[in-house]
Amino acid sequence: MARKLPRKDVVIVGLGWTGSILAHELTDAGLDVVAIERGPWRDTATDFNVAYAPDELRYAVRKDLFLQPAQEAMTMRNDVSQTALPMRDYGSFLPGTGVGGAGTHWNGHTWRFFPSDFALKTHLTERYGAQRIADLQLQDWGVSYDEMESAFDRFEYLCGISGKAGNLNGAIQQGGNPFEGPRKRDYPLPPMQMTYAPTLFAEAARSKGLHPFPTPSANLSGAYVNPLGIAMGQCTACGFCERFGCANYSKSSAHTTVLPVLMRKSNFEARTECEVLKINLAADGKTATGVTYIDVNGETFEQPADLVLLNAYGLFNVRLMLLSGIGKPYDPASGEGVVGRNYCYQTNASTQVFFEGKHMNPFIAAGALGQSLDDYNGDAFDHGPLDFVGGAGINCIPTNGRPIQYRPVPPGTPRWGSAWKKATKQYYNNTLIFSSQGSSYATRGNYLDLDPTYKDRFGRPLLRVTFDFPDNDIRMSNWVSDRMKEIADALGGKQAVVGKQRKGWNSVPYQSTHNTGGAIMGTDPKTSAVNRHLQAWDVPNVFVIGASAFPQNAGKNPTGPVGALAYWAADAIRNHYLKNPGKLVEA
């Protein structure tokens, strides 16, 4: 029997980026908020201390900051003809755990999606015709870029993003991204100082008539005090961002931007190492009454609340909805149902250019210190004569030169012995790497549901991931790889190796922790799990915030839109829902 606790105004599931932002906003509104986080408490001074934070073996190889399958596993397959099997180790993507979530170990790329991305189905249909996207299951977001602009701005200024505007109020700015949507003001900090490899890449790209610009970075180019009064320091380019916490207070995360203020509030409480088992519903199934969770000692509690916010990693938002009976599960055979629909990923490829005598110094690096170009991203170029839609950003962002895992060598090099040692010595400092990060467009057969066979340690069905790269996305990625070959040739190295994406998503090697969809937003309850305010259609006192809301994924990292959606939802709750609790949008 679960022990019933005193009622709270709001219970938040997950204390990462979105959970921290929503908790701050709603406690400011005077609400009594509790956040329940299944991972441990983490803090910069104690958990990412400079003496041991740059430990590649502990954090990058042994994955100390990441979710372990013993706590929550998933089953995976490429299509419905296969039997999904549980992964014994996370590989293709690495969900975080603990306070701060996946925002703790990210690289810091902070993008806005294009205006056309928010109305993708409408945009592509009007430009190319409905038949062009007939094999895809694309949807509009139900909210426009213009509506989201102020939310993007708030997140960028919370984080102190370093960058250069490319479009200020409709005026294209020299040196920025000419393809971005209009923004009201520039980034809060100037771009990071470029290292050698991105500088070479930008020069080669410009020689091909392309438009490189500094990657918008949550690694701070200078000291900064954010709107909450929290001070952060300048990035020292140590090369320990992805898979690591930042010891220098110079990579934006919940720890460095929100939590120092949030944790001092008397109307906020964080309970760590407590896992939410389900959202509790009233007898009619139309109102959430709170959540049931289990703590580290195995004791079960019921936490009543007037408002339940799902702010876990996107995949786990979907699983909790399925386990709790919120929304109709998606059925790929009929195309009906909404929870689990439109699961998407990222379609990537990489290029290596090997030089002699260049001295790239890859150890001088940061997670988002580099140059990018969007000439081939989204619908920034004419797809009329092509056989695909979508696109990819091309990014030269040398994130590290760490001693264990950074060992670039040309194809054909032995994997061990004296020849390998000679090659790794020669090319460690003489390799330039850049990559494409491509869109992932929804199809009827890519989805999430509960596995019929495998269960977790509490007896609940595991989440089942059914995914393969759509043919459209493969064609897109390979076309962009051909464009990368043109840039590689312009760089003039000794040898270039250009990767190409293939069918058959493999869940073992790491690719990207950019999982999106499954609880998508929209204007039609028959095709979306939440409305344009991220409110569950069927249970209006439940809001689901995160990349799970994306109807499809663009060729950019999702954190910027995720942060913006957090502010968008917070505004809807504070200024609309609290004044008149109930459905914000009628079906």
Side-chain angles (χ1 to χ4, degrees), residues 317-366:
N317 284 344
V318 177
R319 185 179 180 224
L320 267 176
M321 292 182 76
L322 291 168
L323 289 171
S324 306
I326 298 176
K328 183 178 179 180
Y330 174 70
D331 176 11
S334 66
E336 297 180 353
V338 293
V339 182
R341 179 186 177 96
N342 282 32
Y343 171 69
C344 294
Y345 193 40
Q346 205 88 69
T347 316
N348 300 340
S350 180
T351 295
Q352 295 176 306
V353 184
F354 298 95
F355 293 89
E356 290 184 352
K358 281 290 187 183
H359 303 292
M360 300 292 178
N361 294 333
F363 49 87
I364 305 173

Side-chain angles (χ1 to χ4, degrees), residues 66-286:
F66 300 105
L67 179 70
Q68 301 301 316
Q71 189 169 23
E72 177 163 343
M74 302 177 195
T75 67
M76 303 179 187
R77 61 181 181 176
N78 291 130
D79 58 59
V80 295
S81 70
Q82 300 173 347
T83 299
L85 296 174
M87 297 305 298
R88 301 304 182 189
D89 192 17
Y90 283 106
S92 177
F93 52 88
L94 300 173
T97 189
V99 171
T104 302
H105 60 75
W106 71 316
N107 266 324
H109 308 184
T110 311
W111 297 98
R112 298 183 179 195
F113 286 1
F114 290 160
S116 58
D117 289 324
F118 291 93
L120 190 66
K121 182 177 181 179
T122 297
H123 173 83
L124 294 178
T125 300
E126 291 176 351
R127 186 170 184 183
Y128 303 112
Q131 189 57 37
R132 189 64 177 276
I133 57 173
D135 293 338
L136 302 172
Q137 192 162 271
L138 302 181
Q139 295 182 207
D140 295 350
W141 288 51
V143 63
S144 70
Y145 172 88
D146 289 342
E147 290 176 298
M148 290 288 294
E149 200 280 333
S150 62
F152 276 115
D153 181 83
R154 290 189 69 186
F155 185 65
E156 290 163 359
Y157 273 74
L158 176 80
C159 297
I161 300 303
S162 307
K164 169 63 179 171
N167 184 337
L168 278 177
N169 298 303
I172 301 303
Q173 305 295 304
Q174 185 70 28
N177 180 4
F179 303 102
E180 72 173 359
R183 57 177 68 238
K184 292 291 195 301
R185 55 178 174 169
D186 210 332
Y187 290 98
L189 289 175
M192 303 185 77
Q193 183 177 347
M194 285 301 121
T195 51
Y196 189 32
T199 301
L200 289 178
F201 168 83
E203 292 172 354
R206 278 191 288 269
S207 76
K208 304 300 293 182
L210 303 174
H211 303 83
F213 56 90
T215 307
S217 170
N219 319 128
L220 275 60
S221 63
Y224 181 71
V225 178
N226 78 2
L228 304 189
I230 300 173
M232 290 177 275
Q234 181 178 357
C235 176
T236 57
C238 71
F240 288 83
C241 289
E242 186 180 25
R243 306 193 180 198
F244 302 85
C246 181
N248 200 47
Y249 296 84
S250 54
K251 180 175 75 171
S252 304
S253 67
H255 303 95
T256 58
T257 62
V258 184
L259 288 170
V261 168
L262 177 63
M263 293 305 299
R264 289 182 169 89
K265 294 183 176 182
S266 60
N267 57 336
F268 175 74
E269 178 188 358
R271 297 179 195 153
T272 58
E273 298 184 285
C274 295
E275 181 158 357
V276 173
L277 300 176
K278 65 175 180 176
I279 302 162
N280 302 321
L281 301 179
D284 63 1
K286 297 179 180 180

Side-chain angles (χ1 to χ4, degrees), residues 404-447:
I404 298 175
Q405 294 184 312
Y406 185 80
R407 297 286 176 166
V409 292
T413 302
R415 298 184 65 181
W416 62 282
S418 60
W420 176 82
K421 292 179 182 178
K422 180 179 179 180
T424 194
K425 178 181 178 182
Q426 178 180 355
Y427 291 109
Y428 174 85
N429 213 12
N430 283 286
T431 304
L432 186 153
I433 301 173
F434 62 98
S435 60
S436 64
Q437 179 167 250
S439 52
S440 179
Y441 284 171
T443 63
R444 187 162 170 166
N446 287 338
Y447 70 105

